[in-house]
Amino acid sequence: LALAHNGNLTNARDLRARLLARGTGLSSESDSELLAQLLALPVSILEHLAFRDNPLTPSRAPSSTPTPD
């Protein structure tokens, strides 16, 4: 698995705090490390860490299934 990341996570501070609160060890301040740690988590934990006010959380993400007109 390779991870390429170019940019900054706008919610990195909140994600870092949530990961640290659940005991995830972080060894750097990089956003790429946050992404790698998030990829290693089970989906059930990711759902718990999700920001409920984010319009792209799974419950409100756009459907990939076309709807009839």
Side-chain angles (χ1 to χ4, degrees), residues 11-28:
N11 59 345
R13 181 175 291 145
D14 293 325
L15 286 172
R16 181 176 311 285
R18 289 171 187 241
L19 287 172
L20 291 171
R22 71 171 307 278
T24 302
L26 298 171
S27 60
S28 75

Side-chain angles (χ1 to χ4, degrees), residues 1 3 19 26 30-41:
L1 175 67
L3 171 66
L19 287 172
L26 298 171
S30 79
D31 292 356
S32 296
E33 182 184 11
L34 285 178
L35 291 173
Q37 291 291 349
L38 288 170
L39 286 171
L41 294 174

